[in-house]
Amino acid sequence: NGDVRLLTPDAVEGWSDLVHCPSQRLLDRLVRRYAETKDSGSFLLRNLKDSERMQLLITLAFNPEPLVLQSFPSDEGWPFAKYLGACGRMVAVNYVGEELWSYFNAPWEKRVDLAWQLMEIAEQLTNNDFEFALYLLDVSFDNFAVGPRDGKVIIVDAENVLVADKKLIRQNKPENWDVWYESKFDDCDKEACLSFSKEILCARVTVDHNYYAICQNLLLRHATWCGTSGGQIHDPPAEIAKDGQLEALLDECANPKQRYGRFQAAKELCEYLAQSTNNVR
């Protein structure tokens, strides 16, 4: 409807992971940053042509990945591939490099650096100045790539990203909104298993989902991909294996034994990995 002024939560809630629990602040950001219109920069839906509005809504419903890349762009430091443009339903993004899996048997120092970057990504998406929590619902080795020159880890599959507005959660105060939420370890025999509740991700301010997803599916020794297990930092040097600290932190990050143990383990693991490669950035 060309007379509608704004794209509102009640109109699109649940259409896709991106807008499973949308706030007006998020939707205004999506419309304002929608690149396939000459009036880019306005959050007013009625300023879009009928065809532009229809394309935006169809994209939002069927594959919101382009909207994630536009709304949280790499140029502003978000860890996603750079959105270049679209022609109809064909989207172009920059080529980042080989997928993370290609580095499974890289030298130890390289794999530690990549693991540290993964934990940094988990932290950035969970806690940032914009107070949008971006939760990765699909975490596997082929959803990340590594730049061949700078060695930077980038998310190259952003289709299954749920965005929760922490400001809205604090404002509405749903039940247990301020209780820290701990994700449950999913001990399954398949690749890239994750156990989560979208409703809880949308209703809590403090959630450990991203730490859990990275540790369980990419770093833990039980992480499995392409029939191979061991995780990104498998087979540590003898002195590190003997020390046992790294293994203990990984275990606590994936399957915590103490209450809120994953939050602390994720912080300590990130520090441990940074110190191991002198990556104090």
Side-chain angles (χ1 to χ4, degrees):
N1 185 342
D3 296 328
V4 175
R5 181 173 180 270
L6 298 174
L7 185 64
T8 56
D10 59 342
V12 299
E13 183 175 353
W15 279 18
S16 60
D17 289 334
L18 176 59
V19 288
H20 187 79
C21 50
S23 66
Q24 190 62 57
R25 188 167 70 101
L26 173 63
L27 296 182
D28 288 349
R29 185 183 183 95
L30 295 180
V31 176
R32 186 172 66 250
R33 294 177 175 236
Y34 183 54
E36 309 313 320
T37 172
K38 293 182 179 180
D39 191 41
S40 181
S42 172
F43 62 87
L44 296 177
L45 193 65
R46 66 185 182 190
N47 285 353
L48 274 63
K49 297 179 181 178
D50 289 346
S51 59
E52 295 170 343
R53 190 162 52 249
M54 183 62 70
Q55 177 127 341
L56 168 61
L57 297 177
I58 289 176
T59 302
L60 187 60
F62 288 96
N63 185 357
E65 181 176 27
L67 301 178
V68 174
L69 303 183
Q70 293 170 37
S71 299
F72 303 94
S74 60
D75 290 346
E76 295 178 6
W78 295 96
F80 297 110
K82 181 179 177 60
Y83 180 84
L84 300 177
C87 181
R89 287 182 287 181
M90 179 66 70
V91 170
V93 300
N94 73 311
Y95 173 73
V96 175
E98 294 186 3
E99 63 183 32
L100 182 64
W101 176 247
S102 300
Y103 293 82
F104 188 79
N105 290 315
W108 170 253
E109 292 77 12
K110 179 64 175 179
R111 290 187 285 118
V112 168
D113 175 68
L114 297 177
W116 170 73
Q117 290 189 60
L118 289 167
M119 293 303 296
E120 286 283 289
I121 287 174
E123 173 62 24
Q124 179 187 7
L125 297 184
T126 303
N127 299 302
N128 52 72
D129 293 339
F130 301 96
E131 294 202 80
F132 285 119
L134 283 66
Y135 297 117
L136 304 175
L137 305 186
D138 182 11
V139 174
S140 61
F141 281 91
D142 63 349
N143 287 346
F144 298 82
V146 181
R149 295 183 179 178
D150 59 9
K152 188 175 182 180
V153 178
I154 296 294
I155 299 169
V156 292
D157 186 343
E159 180 179 353
N160 301 111
V161 175
L162 185 151
V163 180
D165 189 335
K166 293 186 178 184
K167 283 188 175 181
L168 183 65
I169 296 173
R170 291 191 179 96
Q171 175 183 318
N172 292 344
K173 294 181 171 57
E175 184 179 1
N176 295 322
W177 67 276
D178 56 348
V179 177
W180 289 18
Y181 179 72
E182 298 178 283
S183 302
K184 304 302 180 185
F185 176 70
D186 190 354
D187 187 13
C188 75
D189 57 358
K190 298 180 181 179
E191 297 179 340
C193 290
L194 283 181
S195 176
F196 55 84
S197 164
K198 293 181 182 179
E199 281 60 43
I200 289 180
L201 296 181
C202 289
R204 302 287 184 95
V205 169
T206 307
V207 178
D208 64 2
H209 172 83
N210 285 332
Y211 313 128
Y212 149 71
I214 295 294
C215 285
Q216 173 169 298
N217 283 4
L218 301 179
L219 304 185
L220 188 66
R221 63 184 181 279
H222 298 303
T224 302
W225 191 249
C226 296
T228 302
S229 61
Q232 183 67 31
I233 41 181
H234 59 86
D235 298 321
E239 64 274 14
I240 293 179
K242 183 178 180 180
D243 175 73
Q245 184 179 1
L246 176 59
E247 182 178 356
L249 288 174
L250 286 172
D251 286 342
E252 189 68 10
C253 182
N255 188 13
K257 307 300 185 296
Q258 302 178 16
R259 188 181 187 189
Y260 303 140
R262 183 179 287 116
F263 291 96
Q264 184 61 31
K267 178 181 178 181
E268 293 181 13
L269 177 61
C270 195
E271 294 172 351
Y272 181 95
L273 295 171
Q275 292 173 1
S276 298
T277 55
N278 296 317
N279 278 331
V280 183
R281 301 179 184 177

